[in-house]
Amino acid sequence: MSLRKSHELHERRFSRNLGVGLTLAAFIVIIFGLTIVKVSGTNFNMAPQEVQN
Amino acid sequence: MSDASINASQVTAPAHADEASFGDYFALLKPRVMSLVVFTALVGLLAAPVSVHPFVGFCAILFIAIGGGASGALNMWWDADIDRVMKRTKGRPIPAGKVQEGEALSLGLALSGLSVIMLGLATNWFAGAFLAFTIFFYVVVYTMWLKRSTPQNIVIGGAAGAFPPVIGWVAATGTMSIEPWLMFALTFMWTPPHFWALALFMRSDYDDAGVPMLTVTHGRRATRWHILVYTALLATLAVGTAFSGIGGPIYLTVAVVMNALFLRGAWQISRRTEEDSEADNFKVERSFFKLSLLYLFLHFGAILVEALLKPYGLGGWS
C-alpha cells in the first residue's frame, strides 16, 4: 500500500500541519544551537569521571 | 457517491467552515501584547551591564515571548465568557468559535511549562522562576482574581505586563539591581492611564461585560482625574530615571518632551466633560491612547540607545 492522500482532511488541514511541522523543526534547530553554544562556552566543564575516561 | 456520503458532507460542511487554522492558535498568544513583551524584555537584556551570547539572548527573548503568549492563551480561556460580550474581543478565536476553550487551556499550560524550562536551561533558573511567577501573576492574580473583583484591576494587574524587562535583565545577569525595577516601574505606572483612556472611549464594552473598570465603579469624571494623577506620578518617575544607570542625555531629552506631551493630554482629558467628548467622538482620549503607545516605545527605545552607545563611550552620563 503506497503512502498517499486518502482523505480531504489532509488537504483541509495542510496549512495547520505545515505550521506545526515548521514550529517543531524550528524548536529542534534552537535546541541544537543552544547545545552548541553551551558546549562551546568557556564555563562548560565535563563531569570528572568523563574527563578521567 | 452514495446518499450516505452526500448527507455526511452536508452535515459536516458548516463545521469545516469554523475549523481553526494555525493562525487562530497563534492569535491565542496575543501577538500584539507579545510584541510589547519582546521589545521591553530585549531592552532589559541589552541594558544589563554584561555581554550575552547573541544566540542565547535570542532564545531568552523568544522564551519570554512564548511565556507571555502562554499567559495570553490562559487569559482567553478564563475570559471566554466576557470576550463574547465585548465588541473589542468578540473576534478572538474562542468567541468566534474557531478554537475550543479546552484547547486554549491546553496550549497555555503546555507553552507555560515549555517556556519556563527552556528559559531556565538557556539562561539561569532565577530567570525561569521569574517567568513562572509572571505567568502566575497575570493568569491567577490578575485574570482570575482582580479583573472582576476590583476597580484597581488595571493598576495591580499592570505589574504582570511590567515584569518582562526585569526577566530580560535577570536572564543576562542572574542577579537583581535597581535599574530593571525602574523599567518595571515605568511600565507599571504607564499601564493605568493607558487603559483608562481606552475605557473612556470604549465606553459600553466594560459595562456590558460587568468588568469593574474605574469608569464603571467610580464614574467617568473620577477616571479622568485618576488619569491626570497617575500621569503626573509617571512623569516624575520617567524623568527621574534619566539620572540612573540606564539613563543619559538622550533618554532625558525624550523623557522631557514625551512627558510634557503626555501631561498636556492628561490635563485636557481631566478638563473635558462627557458632552465635549461625545461632540468630537472622544478625539482627545483617542489621541492620548495613541500617544501612550508611542510614549512607552520611545522611553524604552531611548534606554536601548543609551545602552548600545555605552561601548563607544557615548551612552549614559559618563
Side-chain angles (χ1 to χ4, degrees):
Chain A
M1 194 174 73
S2 61
L3 280 172
R4 53 195 292 273
K5 285 178 182 173
S6 57
H7 200 278
E8 56 87 29
L9 185 77
H10 293 106
E11 281 181 27
R12 188 154 42 86
R13 292 196 175 167
F14 178 75
S15 67
R16 191 202 292 190
N17 292 338
L18 183 68
V20 173
L22 290 175
T23 305
L24 290 174
F27 187 62
I28 290 167
V29 170
I30 284 167
I31 297 288
F32 180 72
L34 267 179
T35 308
I36 297 296
V37 170
K38 293 281 178 186
V39 170
S40 317
T42 50
N43 56 356
F44 178 80
N45 294 311
M46 291 175 78
Q49 66 272 23
E50 288 180 47
V51 174
Q52 284 165 7
N53 292 339
Chain B
M1 188 183 276
S2 68
D3 288 349
S5 67
I6 291 169
N7 290 339
S9 65
Q10 283 170 344
V11 169
T12 52
H16 294 167
D18 288 340
E19 196 167 84
S21 65
F22 186 77
D24 290 318
Y25 291 104
F26 185 67
L28 282 177
L29 310 184
K30 296 192 177 181
R32 286 174 66 184
V33 177
M34 219 153 65
S35 63
L36 175 72
V37 169
V38 165
F39 181 58
T40 57
L42 180 70
V43 174
L45 186 118
L46 292 177
V50 292
S51 65
V52 180
H53 190 286
F55 191 74
V56 173
F58 165 77
C59 290
I61 299 302
L62 178 69
F63 296 128
I64 294 169
I66 293 173
S71 52
L74 292 170
N75 169 275
M76 284 202 203
W77 157 69
W78 185 262
D79 277 348
D81 58 336
I82 55 174
D83 281 353
R84 287 189 188 98
V85 179
M86 295 199 289
K87 268 194 304 226
R88 189 172 62 87
T89 53
K90 262 183 183 168
R92 285 179 175 175
I94 298 175
K98 299 274 187 185
V99 176
Q100 299 296 311
E101 289 177 30
E103 289 180 296
L105 173 64
S106 306
L107 186 70
L109 288 176
L111 290 183
S112 296
L114 178 91
S115 60
V116 168
I117 289 170
M118 288 308 300
L119 182 65
L121 288 171
T123 59
N124 58 74
W125 289 106
F126 188 19
F130 221 114
L131 180 62
F133 174 74
T134 304
I135 296 170
F136 168 82
F137 193 90
Y138 183 69
V139 176
V140 178
V141 177
Y142 170 65
T143 304
M144 294 183 175
W145 176 31
L146 295 174
K147 186 172 178 179
R148 302 192 197 198
S149 62
T150 166
Q152 297 302 311
N153 46 17
I154 285 302
V155 180
I156 308 165
F163 281 128
V166 185
I167 306 172
W169 181 286
V170 172
T173 63
T175 58
M176 197 68 81
S177 63
I178 184 73
E179 288 87 356
W181 288 108
L182 286 171
M183 288 187 266
F184 168 90
L186 196 63
T187 318
F188 179 74
M189 291 303 295
W190 165 87
T191 307
H194 167 78
F195 274 104
W196 285 332
L198 178 74
L200 280 174
F201 65 82
M202 296 294 284
R203 50 185 313 163
S204 66
D205 256 15
Y206 293 108
D207 299 26
D208 296 344
V211 175
M213 283 295 276
L214 199 66
T215 43
V216 180
T217 58
H218 288 65
R220 304 172 66 79
R221 168 88 351 238
T223 305
R224 290 173 186 278
W225 280 108
H226 271 73
I227 288 175
L228 180 63
V229 171
Y230 270 81
T231 303
L233 292 171
L234 171 66
T236 311
L237 174 85
V239 175
T241 299
F243 305 100
S244 71
I246 53 174
I250 297 168
Y251 175 89
L252 179 63
T253 309
V254 168
V256 168
V257 172
M258 288 310 295
N259 283 284
L261 291 172
F262 213 43
L263 273 169
R264 183 169 149 264
W267 174 252
Q268 286 174 334
I269 287 178
S270 73
R271 304 292 295 166
R272 277 159 73 87
T273 63
E274 285 307 303
E275 290 73 31
D276 296 336
S277 297
E278 278 167 17
D280 62 6
N281 196 23
F282 295 89
K283 191 180 169 194
V284 173
E285 290 80 357
R286 286 175 199 274
S287 59
F288 182 82
F289 179 77
K290 278 184 196 159
L291 180 69
S292 73
L293 296 170
L294 187 67
Y295 176 99
L296 198 68
F297 175 76
L298 287 182
H299 275 79
F300 274 86
I303 293 171
L304 183 62
V305 170
E306 296 282 5
L308 293 177
L309 288 175
K310 267 183 187 164
Y312 305 102
L314 295 169
W317 294 106
S318 56

